[in-house]
Amino acid sequence: MDAYGFLSVSDINGYLKQMCLNDENLRGIFVKGEISNFLDHPKLGHLYFTLKDETCAIKAVMFKGSKWRIKFKPQNGMKVILFGNINVFERDGIFQIIAEDMQPDGVGALHIAYEQLKEKLAKEGYFAPEHKKPIPNLPKRIGVITAKSGAAVQDILNIIGRRYPLAHVVVIDCLVQGAGAAPNLCRAVKLAQTLSLDTLIIGRGGGSLEDLWAFNDENLAKAIYDCPVPVISAVGHETDYTICDFVADLRAPTPSAAAELAVPDLRQIRQYIDNRKNLLYNNILGQLNQGEKHIQQLGARLSAYSPESFIKTREELLAGLYKRLVQFQLSGMALLTQRFSHAVSSLETLSPLNTIARGYSITYREDGSILKNARGIKPGAVLITRVKDASVTSRVESVNRDSASQNGNIES
């Protein structure tokens, strides 16, 4: 206040600030409202926003030193409950809430933080199927990240020992809940990458959302995403889902199920090998039988085209031809003989000698031609008559012609 009794703006704002600081009703209070005009200052790290209800609004700020208390990311339109003090920003004369803590109104902060981180990592491709690595079928070394004192590790060891005792299990002891659990899990994942593992199981038994919260850590999610070893996540019970489950290469509903997914059943492998062996044996036996039949067929074909078979076939052919030739000659000779006999018989039938033998005679002219008529026969001509047992030579004394001959009916 100056000499004339006037108050300055600074006097008023300072007085109001002192009133707020001295009024216990404005300190350590809970205020409910909706966030608007939210700003997370990139340089200062403070949160600036307005908290409003249906009729009024008040400025609010949460300084960087208090941000670690909230488990979610505040957003415009989100209904929250603030804990803090009412104060006055002297420079601008503005009433504001200095928030020391913040909780969602109606939905738990951890649940909101979980959904926000899940949405963020999904957009960045951390859950993409194409990034998932296949789990080896026959692992030699399996890493297990969990608490050695928990029941989960015993379940995993018992199941792997029973199903596939050939695998060597390396247990990496670490915290699985509480303060420091998330960084401890991240270090365990990095350590696992140096142990020449084929498969890595990370998890713990069931619990509340708070108990499982270390497996919803963003840094752990990135460590699992970057891990070259295939990771099986086995956190909580079947209904529990964590960020670790989504980013891992394979999610198991329980630690026991993770052990079953990590290794095959040796008994099933032996049965499979026996089945394959029997199948292979039957296939080989079938091929041998088929090959033997093929060889026999080739042998038969080779035998058919062998020189010995060729000669034998030609010998049989020649023998058949010779037999046919002999039969043809014999039948030809018989036919010729028959024809000759027939010709002889015919000749004998027509032979003058046979005629003569029956009592007839044949008269020849002197030139040897048969005398068929008296033409050209004159007295004194010599005729030879052939009878059965002799030839008679006579001389013509006269020629007496028949009346029929004289009439021109006698052949010449």
Side-chain angles (χ1 to χ4, degrees):
M1 183 179 297
D2 60 13
Y4 299 98
F6 296 108
L7 296 175
S8 67
V9 175
S10 297
D11 291 337
I12 295 174
N13 288 353
Y15 177 77
L16 293 175
K17 181 174 182 179
Q18 287 300 318
M19 287 182 60
C20 291
L21 292 176
N22 294 328
D23 190 345
E24 294 296 329
N25 293 324
L26 300 179
R27 300 184 60 78
I29 62 175
F30 291 92
V31 184
K32 182 169 65 174
E34 179 181 322
I35 295 177
S36 64
N37 302 319
F38 179 80
L39 173 63
D40 187 351
H41 200 286
K43 293 183 179 181
L44 300 178
H46 307 322
L47 302 181
Y48 298 96
F49 56 96
T50 299
L51 192 67
K52 66 178 183 178
D53 57 18
E54 291 79 1
T55 58
C56 298
I58 187 173
K59 297 293 184 178
V61 60
M62 175 175 276
F63 295 116
K64 182 178 180 181
S66 299
K67 284 174 59 177
W68 64 270
R69 292 190 177 93
I70 61 175
K71 303 297 184 181
F72 64 99
K73 182 179 179 180
Q75 295 176 346
N76 287 325
M78 184 178 292
K79 294 183 178 181
V80 295
I81 299 175
L82 300 183
F83 174 78
N85 306 312
I86 303 298
N87 207 333
V88 175
F89 184 43
E90 289 187 62
R91 189 193 69 182
D92 297 335
I94 298 175
F95 281 94
Q96 60 182 8
I97 302 173
I98 308 300
E100 297 179 2
D101 196 2
M102 183 188 306
Q103 295 293 333
D105 183 12
V107 181
L110 294 182
H111 180 75
I112 292 179
Y114 168 83
E115 292 296 337
Q116 290 176 340
L117 180 59
K118 178 182 173 183
E119 181 181 1
K120 174 186 176 183
L121 295 179
K123 291 180 179 179
E124 294 177 359
Y126 279 78
F127 309 153
E130 57 269 19
H131 184 73
K132 306 294 185 183
K133 297 179 287 296
I135 306 301
N137 294 325
L138 301 173
K140 295 180 181 179
R141 288 173 60 85
I142 301 174
V144 179
I145 298 178
T146 190
K148 280 188 176 181
S149 58
V153 67
Q154 295 302 323
D155 292 340
I156 293 174
L157 293 175
N158 291 335
I159 292 174
I160 293 178
R162 184 184 73 251
R163 287 173 58 89
Y164 194 68
L166 302 178
H168 178 67
V169 181
V170 180
V171 179
I172 304 174
D173 186 27
C174 66
L175 297 175
V176 292
Q177 76 179 65
N184 196 228
L185 288 168
C186 292
R187 289 191 294 269
V189 172
K190 294 180 179 179
L191 174 62
Q193 301 177 29
T194 66
L195 301 178
S196 301
L197 301 176
D198 300 307
T199 305
L200 178 62
I201 299 174
I202 180 171
R204 54 156 290 164
S208 64
L209 181 59
E210 290 79 5
D211 294 336
L212 306 180
W213 189 250
F215 295 90
N216 291 320
D217 183 75
E218 182 174 359
N219 292 328
L220 178 60
K222 293 181 178 180
I224 294 175
Y225 182 84
D226 295 331
C227 181
V229 181
V231 178
I232 300 176
S233 175
V235 181
H237 299 301
E238 187 170 356
T239 57
D240 296 326
Y241 277 84
T242 64
I243 299 298
C244 181
D245 292 326
F246 292 107
V247 75
D249 298 296
L250 182 64
R251 187 249 177 185
T254 62
S256 299
E260 294 181 355
L261 293 173
V263 296
D265 191 335
L266 191 58
R267 292 172 298 180
Q268 294 180 356
I269 294 177
R270 288 172 177 169
Q271 183 178 0
Y272 174 79
I273 292 175
D274 290 339
N275 293 337
R276 299 300 295 181
K277 180 179 68 175
N278 293 334
L279 180 61
L280 181 62
Y281 174 79
N282 293 332
N283 287 340
I284 293 176
L285 184 61
Q287 291 181 5
L288 289 176
N289 292 334
Q290 185 177 1
E292 184 177 359
K293 291 180 181 179
H294 186 61
I295 291 175
Q296 291 177 354
Q297 293 174 355
L298 292 177
R301 292 175 59 186
L302 181 62
S303 176
Y305 290 100
S306 65
E308 181 181 357
S309 177
F310 179 81
I311 293 174
K312 184 178 180 180
T313 302
R314 292 302 183 271
E315 286 180 349
E316 293 176 354
L317 179 62
L318 289 176
L321 291 175
Y322 177 75
K323 184 177 180 180
R324 291 176 58 189
L325 179 61
V326 171
Q327 291 177 349
F328 178 77
Q329 289 177 342
L330 292 176
S331 61
M333 290 295 296
L335 180 61
L336 291 176
T337 301
Q338 182 179 2
R339 292 174 62 185
F340 178 74
S341 299
H342 181 72
V344 170
S345 175
S346 299
L347 183 61
E348 288 180 350
T349 301
L350 299 176
S351 174
L353 296 179
N354 289 337
T355 303
I356 293 173
R358 292 197 302 268
Y360 293 93
S361 63
I362 300 174
T363 301
Y364 297 92
R365 297 177 186 271
E366 190 175 4
D367 57 3
S369 59
I370 297 176
L371 180 64
K372 296 180 178 181
N373 51 51
R375 186 179 299 168
I377 299 300
K378 297 177 178 180
V382 178
L383 299 175
I384 301 173
T385 302
R386 177 74 178 179
V387 295
K388 179 178 180 181
D389 55 356
S391 296
V392 179
T393 302
S394 58
R395 189 177 299 276
V396 178
E397 293 183 354
S398 63
V399 179
N400 299 318
R401 300 184 181 277
D402 296 336
S403 57
S405 174
Q406 292 178 355
N407 294 329
N409 293 330
I410 300 177
E411 293 182 0
S412 59

